[in-house]
Amino acid sequence: ERGEYAHYMLKEIHEQPVAVADTLEGRIAGGKILTQIFGVDAERLLADTQAVHIIACGTSYHAGLVARYWIEQLAGVPCTAEIASEYRYRDPVVKEGTLFLTISQSGETADTLAALKLAKDRPYLARMAVCNVPESSIVRESSLVLMTRAGPEIGVASTKAFTTQLVALALFSLELARAKGLDAARYADGVRQLEQLPGLIAETLKLDAEILELATHFADKQHALFLGRGTHWPVAMEGALKLKEISYIHAEAYAAGELKHGPLALVDEEMPVIAVAPNDRLIDKLKSNLEEVRARGGVLYAFVDETVAHGLDAAHVVILPAAGEIAAPVVSTIPLQLLSYHVAVLRGTDVDQPRNLAKSVTVE
Ligand code: F6R
């Protein structure tokens, strides 16, 4: 039941501290991730993993794109993330030692399931799933499963499923990285970030009133542009997807470095630009994006943490709790969920049941 909340989506956004804590429950002890959560043969599997192919759709694909950065950055293992509907109709080259990894909230998405079935005939090391529904087809067809424990997600727009997917993928990335010789201090720091995440999300949810005010700036817009770099690029993609699916505002996400290569032509006072750049190593580049946007009469909304907010002369700066390389993409997702929610409510759309969409896409 949605209880005090006006919509399931809002309830599910606010459930994230608990959903993330549940997903971590019993998976970390004494500052270490329990290797056996990846199966009885996990140590050998991790040692043998020479590459990872991530396959998913929609929001789950965005989680996969974030994981790709972690897997390459932390584990030094080549990783691709691809949409299932593309993967299933091409001829991917699978080298020895490649792990196939699907991500799905429902476990029933037709394209993801079809890709998984195709993968059985390819020389993959194993077929692992990150999934939220234990009795689902994708779980049944996988040789290895890491469950997210988001609980039932009723709102069509995925929120807590996404953040718990990120947590499950972070557990995997860190454990793969440890098996590949990641520096112990960086590993310990990553695990600590995961343990702090429920508290950090709860703190970020306190931005709700500020985001509601911000939402009034978007309610009458037709378009919005989201920018991010590194792991925050897929976070920007997820922010744009949420906004378009529930508020019907046309939104696009670009890697910030691409702004000049085309989308800048669209920027004017009617095209707000949202930059997701907490603690970005490339903060100076954000500042130059900002000038580019401002010079075209555009309005820039920056979501940054307090370590970089100082001296940032954007029209609107939302300050997020500071977080490290693992926690930051989760934290910066929260305000974008709240933004799309409030914009949709202001526009009077059916937040939990957006037009034309189904919660589980079981046909291609
Ligand atoms: C967006 C959304 C969809 C799903 C996609 C995959 O909010 O919910 O994009 O993420 O249909 O669904 P699952 O994760 O069930 O495979």
Side-chain angles (χ1 to χ4, degrees):
E1 261 317 295
R2 61 189 162 74
E4 60 183 296
Y5 293 102
H7 298 94
Y8 280 107
M9 184 184 178
L10 187 62
K11 174 174 179 262
E12 288 160 4
I13 289 172
H14 284 275
E15 279 172 351
Q16 290 177 109
V18 173
V20 163
D22 287 348
T23 300
L24 291 170
E25 176 72 36
R27 287 170 167 175
I28 296 175
K32 295 200 160 52
I33 297 161
L34 301 173
T35 311
Q36 66 267 31
I37 66 175
F38 303 103
V40 283
D41 216 12
E43 203 57 64
R44 195 170 68 200
L45 176 84
L46 295 172
D48 288 349
T49 299
Q50 305 301 329
V52 181
H53 283 176
I54 299 177
I55 303 296
C57 299
T59 288
S60 298
Y61 165 65
H62 296 156
L65 287 172
V66 173
R68 179 168 73 100
Y69 284 89
W70 287 335
I71 288 170
E72 297 211 339
Q73 259 163 34
L74 298 167
V77 169
C79 179
T80 58
E82 186 176 359
I83 300 161
S85 57
E86 285 300 315
Y87 174 89
R88 66 181 289 198
Y89 294 115
R90 67 182 189 92
D91 298 312
V93 177
V94 181
K95 287 201 177 161
E96 207 185 317
T98 303
L99 178 73
F100 183 84
L101 172 54
T102 56
I103 308 167
S104 176
Q105 187 286 127
S106 63
E108 302 296 344
T109 300
D111 284 319
T112 310
L113 184 58
L116 171 56
K117 287 180 174 166
L118 283 171
K120 280 190 170 174
D121 299 325
R122 294 180 178 144
Y124 283 107
L125 195 57
R127 295 177 314 279
M128 179 172 157
V130 167
C131 190
N132 196 43
V133 178
E135 269 82 50
S136 62
S137 308
I138 285 175
V139 165
R140 271 198 307 274
E141 297 281 338
S142 298
S143 55
L144 203 67
V145 174
L146 187 63
M147 296 306 299
T148 48
R149 302 187 189 126
E153 192 179 62
I154 310 292
V156 165
S158 188
T159 53
K160 62 178 181 170
F162 177 69
T163 46
T164 56
Q165 284 167 351
L166 290 179
V167 167
L169 293 164
L171 288 169
F172 173 72
S173 306
L174 282 165
E175 225 17 42
L176 179 64
R178 182 198 50 75
K180 299 293 178 195
L182 178 70
D183 168 72
R186 197 161 167 207
Y187 174 83
D189 182 55
V191 174
R192 206 173 312 115
Q193 287 179 47
L194 283 175
E195 292 180 310
Q196 290 168 347
L197 204 43
L200 270 177
I201 297 172
E203 203 185 320
T204 311
L205 286 167
K206 293 183 189 153
L207 291 168
D208 193 38
E210 187 181 340
I211 307 279
L212 171 60
E213 201 282 318
L214 208 65
T216 62
H217 301 221
F218 289 82
D220 64 343
K221 294 287 183 291
Q222 301 302 318
H223 309 275
L225 189 61
F226 288 71
L227 303 177
R229 287 177 189 270
T231 54
H232 292 99
W233 176 26
V235 168
M237 293 166 81
E238 176 57 12
L241 177 62
K242 286 293 90 97
L243 189 67
K244 75 183 106 178
E245 69 183 324
I246 62 168
S247 77
Y248 316 145
I249 292 175
H250 168 222
E252 284 197 70
Y254 272 88
E258 279 288 289
L259 181 63
K260 276 196 180 86
H261 299 285
L264 188 57
L266 295 169
V267 172
D268 62 14
E269 56 285 355
E270 289 307 311
M271 172 74 113
V273 179
I274 296 155
V276 197
N279 195 3
D280 204 315
R281 283 179 293 127
L282 302 166
I283 193 68
D284 289 338
K285 304 215 169 163
L286 176 73
K287 288 180 182 162
S288 86
N289 289 156
L290 198 148
E291 275 146 33
E292 286 155 2
V293 167
R294 203 197 343 249
R296 275 93 192 159
V299 183
L300 188 100
Y301 297 82
F303 291 77
V304 295
D305 76 25
E306 63 254 19
T307 63
V308 297
H310 180 72
L312 195 65
D313 181 26
H316 305 275
V317 179
V318 177
I319 299 179
L320 307 175
E325 62 187 334
I326 298 288
V330 182
V331 167
S332 39
T333 295
I334 309 294
L336 303 182
Q337 295 170 340
L338 288 168
L339 180 67
S340 62
Y341 173 77
H342 289 303
V343 172
V345 170
L346 288 171
R347 287 166 70 95
T349 60
D350 188 346
V351 172
D352 284 333
Q353 288 277 306
R355 67 188 184 198
N356 314 340
L357 298 179
K359 180 70 186 160
S360 183
V361 185
T362 53
V363 290
E364 65 170 296

